[in-house]
């Protein structure tokens, strides 16, 4: 079996997760890791795989089947995904929902003339949650869907707390409100405010002598991040934070309730949930599966930008169609 | 907007559900219902739509975009789906898992030369549950999936009870065992026997003077249907059965747990569940969504047999790709 040759661009939590996910897929092999850092400073897990300068990526044209892009959505991917799509099939996890149309357009414009495939916004939200919103809406057009996130660590909110004066370290958990989920499952189609859907739970390490009341007040009133939520702030030691809040778990729920019948008298609930031990490792696993699809689509002459909505599920599997029909259908 | 012209073949619970589902989809219109019964004896809901003899279906070639087949998997669909696929795009809910490969082959052989698309085994299991087994396996290759059914009415088991001597009417519920689901969610990959996964709950109306103990014994020891399960038998009156057990609810769970990380140290749970007020109405709603996909695939020059694994999710939606990316991704 010729393996799908994978390149990784960017080696943080996500890049490391992709490295592990590729190793877990028997039909894929890691060929090179690309970084903007000095390659000598980047230590990867896989033996015998080179770490290369991103500036030299062009030399790898024809030697890598799919590049999995592991940079951030704020500044890395808007530039990197189109640039790399002009040379390689690419998959990214671009997750700034509001900018997806523009990102799709720029990747499409780069990939089409190059004859490459670029699958964007792959992961769990956007990604698996989006798919579940789509499937459920198509099946139950008369209904309403709700997405809840958590319980899980929000990196962005943790960072926001760390920028508060007197804060040494912090971890923020987004927690879905059980009562809101139950109201949704009842089929009553509740209108839920931001505050009613999620709680924000903060674990904060303060600097010695810091004004704890001031820190708590500043967190709870922070616009966009916390002001619209019921927020709890817990002060703990660095040791406790390191011991009890080291992981990056996440997850959530997509719930759609809908009605069928002559007069909408029949109710149905479709629910999808994830409980992830590690947000980046799960996202990476989704990226690796979609890399397989990108490779196959390109082999079959497709090109341009795609999203999870455009990918037939069978393309994600290493198994043959007949095998899937006999054993999974 | 030109609507997708739908025909329904077979007008039982499923056919009636498809009629309602088509009415719920603004881009579809019901054109005709076909039955083996005398058309004069078949009363449908939609005004102005003809009920026709199935024998005359050939006259409708070119007047119907997609035929939705609502017969049974035992004898109807193995003959009807290939026969109709030679004239029309078709969608069916063939659900005899063991015979799917043969059914796929016979539909494919009929559809390819005719230039039609035949999507088979559409519904929730096979169907949405299959999709969730596939997606979850592709994302977490090192893991295990479990399917639980219920709580819901099994038509086949209810029929089996009705064939017992002294039984006037009956309803059987398949009930997933909560402890087994919790064991699965723990990530321990338990080996579960048939008995450990599901209970069978029977509600039986006996004929006057029937031997209740004999009925209960015969049900509980019935091979294949009940012998391998913990089964409860409750005798009630016809009035109680009609009042409390009229509906055809169903549902279930697909749960996959898997591991990622350098040494499989990170656990994840993917869970999909359905709680359906009416099994046939939900299955019908899935059929109507896949009819849209069949129409589009045929329009784009595709032909042959397909399953839910082969259908890109966007094909199920009446919304444009750009709209989906902007609002659902």
């Amino acid at each position: 079996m010729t393996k799908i040759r994978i390149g990784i661009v960017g080696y943080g939590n996500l890049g490391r997760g992709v490295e592990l996910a590729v190793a877990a897929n028997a039909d894929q092999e890691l060929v090179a890791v690309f970084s903007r850092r000095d390659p000598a400073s980047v230590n990867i897990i896989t033996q015998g795989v080179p770490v290369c300068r991103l500036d030299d990526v062009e030399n790898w044209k024809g030697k890598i089947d799919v590049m999995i892009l592991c940079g951030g959505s704020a500044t890395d991917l808007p530039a990197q995904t189109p640039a790399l799509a002009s040379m390689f099939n690419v998959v990214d996890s671009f997750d700034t929902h509001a900018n997806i149309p523009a990102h799709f357009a720029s990747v499409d414009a780069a990939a089409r003339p190059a004859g490459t495939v670029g699958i964007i916004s792959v992961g769990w939200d956007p990604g698996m949650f989006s798919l579940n919103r789509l499937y459920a809406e198509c099946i139950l057009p008369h209904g309403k869907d709700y997405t809840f996130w958590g319980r899980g660590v929000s990196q962005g909110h943790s960072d926001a707390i760390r920028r508060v004066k007197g804060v040494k370290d912090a971890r923020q958990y987004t927690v879905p409100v059980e009562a809101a989920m139950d109201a949704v499952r009842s089929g009553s189609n509740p209108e839920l405010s931001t505050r009613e859907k999620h709680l924000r739970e903060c674990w904060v390490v303060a600097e010695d002598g810091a004004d704890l009341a001031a820190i708590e007040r500043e967190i709870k009133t922070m616009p966009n991040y916390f002001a619209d939520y019921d927020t709890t702030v817990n002060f703990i030691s660095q040791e406790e934070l390191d011991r009890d809040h080291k992981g990056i778990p996440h997850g959530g729920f997509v719930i759609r309730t809908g009605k069928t019948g002559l007069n909408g008298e029949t109710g149905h609930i479709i629910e999808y949930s994830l409980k992830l031990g590690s947000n980046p490792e799960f996202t990476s696993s989704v990226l690796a599966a979609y890399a397989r699809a990108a490779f196959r689509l390109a082999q079959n002459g497709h090109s341009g930008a795609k999203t999870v909505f455009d990918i037939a599920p069978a393309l994600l599997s290493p198994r043959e169609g007949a095998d899937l029909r006999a054993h999974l259908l």
Side-chain angles (χ1 to χ4, degrees), chain A:
Chain A
M1 181 175 70
T2 310
K3 296 191 177 190
I4 303 170
R5 299 168 299 174
I6 303 287
I8 293 173
V9 177
Y11 196 76
N13 279 334
L14 195 60
R16 184 175 180 279
V18 169
E19 181 179 20
L20 296 170
V22 167
N25 286 325
D27 63 337
Q28 303 186 336
E29 64 175 330
L30 182 62
V31 170
V33 171
F34 299 88
S35 174
R36 281 172 308 199
R37 289 180 275 164
D38 173 7
S41 74
V42 179
N43 292 305
I44 70 170
I45 301 161
T46 317
Q47 299 286 324
V49 168
V51 178
C52 309
R53 286 179 198 283
L54 185 52
D55 289 342
D56 299 333
V57 73
E58 204 169 343
N59 302 335
W60 289 82
K61 266 182 80 165
K63 297 173 191 161
I64 286 176
D65 296 313
V66 186
M67 282 286 195
I68 303 182
L69 277 54
C70 300
S73 296
T75 55
D76 298 336
L77 299 176
Q80 287 178 356
T81 313
L84 289 162
S86 71
M87 295 178 267
F88 302 94
N89 301 307
V90 297
V91 182
D92 80 17
S93 63
F94 184 81
D95 66 358
T96 310
H97 289 262
N99 297 343
I100 284 174
H103 188 59
F104 183 91
S106 80
V107 174
D108 199 52
R112 284 195 186 276
T116 62
V117 168
I119 311 182
I120 67 158
S121 301
V122 169
W124 59 275
D125 196 357
M128 298 312 297
F129 273 18
S130 322
L131 277 177
N132 276 280
R133 286 187 287 262
L134 176 60
Y135 277 117
E137 175 182 285
C138 295
I139 296 169
L140 296 175
H142 296 296
K144 190 164 158 63
D145 66 68
Y146 296 80
T147 301
F148 292 90
W149 296 275
R151 173 190 173 96
V153 171
S154 166
Q155 215 62 57
H157 288 78
S158 300
D159 290 343
I161 299 172
R162 280 188 213 103
R163 288 192 295 265
V164 171
K165 185 165 175 291
V167 170
K168 199 174 145 198
D169 203 351
R171 196 67 119 198
Q172 194 270 183
Y173 294 90
T174 305
V175 184
V177 176
E178 199 68 44
M181 290 201 290
D182 287 344
V184 165
R185 292 184 185 116
S186 77
S188 68
N189 289 355
E191 288 298 326
L192 295 167
S193 68
T194 297
R195 189 178 302 274
E196 287 169 319
K197 287 185 72 186
H198 297 94
L199 306 173
R200 298 209 173 273
E201 186 186 295
C202 311
W203 300 86
V204 180
V205 181
E207 287 168 358
D208 286 344
D211 180 345
L212 302 190
I215 290 174
E216 179 163 349
R217 194 168 53 243
E218 184 168 343
I219 293 172
K220 287 186 170 178
T221 57
M222 199 184 293
N224 303 317
Y225 285 92
F226 294 100
D228 298 333
Y229 298 86
D230 287 339
T231 301
T232 57
V233 176
N234 310 279
F235 291 98
I236 55 175
S237 69
Q238 185 72 53
E239 293 67 40
E240 287 169 314
L241 190 82
D242 293 343
R243 184 191 66 205
D244 302 334
H245 304 282
K246 196 171 53 122
I248 322 175
H250 219 313
F253 302 79
V254 175
I255 308 172
R256 186 176 184 90
T257 62
K259 301 287 187 186
T260 62
L262 193 52
N263 300 299
E265 67 277 13
T266 313
H268 308 274
I269 311 173
I270 303 174
E271 181 164 337
Y272 180 79
S273 71
L274 296 173
K275 289 189 179 60
L276 311 177
S278 159
N279 183 352
E281 285 182 18
F282 188 84
T283 301
S284 302
S285 301
V286 183
L287 283 164
Y290 276 91
R292 185 178 291 120
F295 173 67
R296 290 181 176 166
L297 284 170
Q299 276 202 315
N300 292 329
H302 294 270
S303 66
K306 315 275 176 198
T307 76
V308 294
F309 295 158
D310 305 309
I311 310 297
L315 291 170
L316 303 176
S317 175
R319 299 164 72 168
E320 298 283 337
D323 184 19
L324 293 176
R325 286 189 293 275
H327 299 113
L328 273 187
L329 193 61

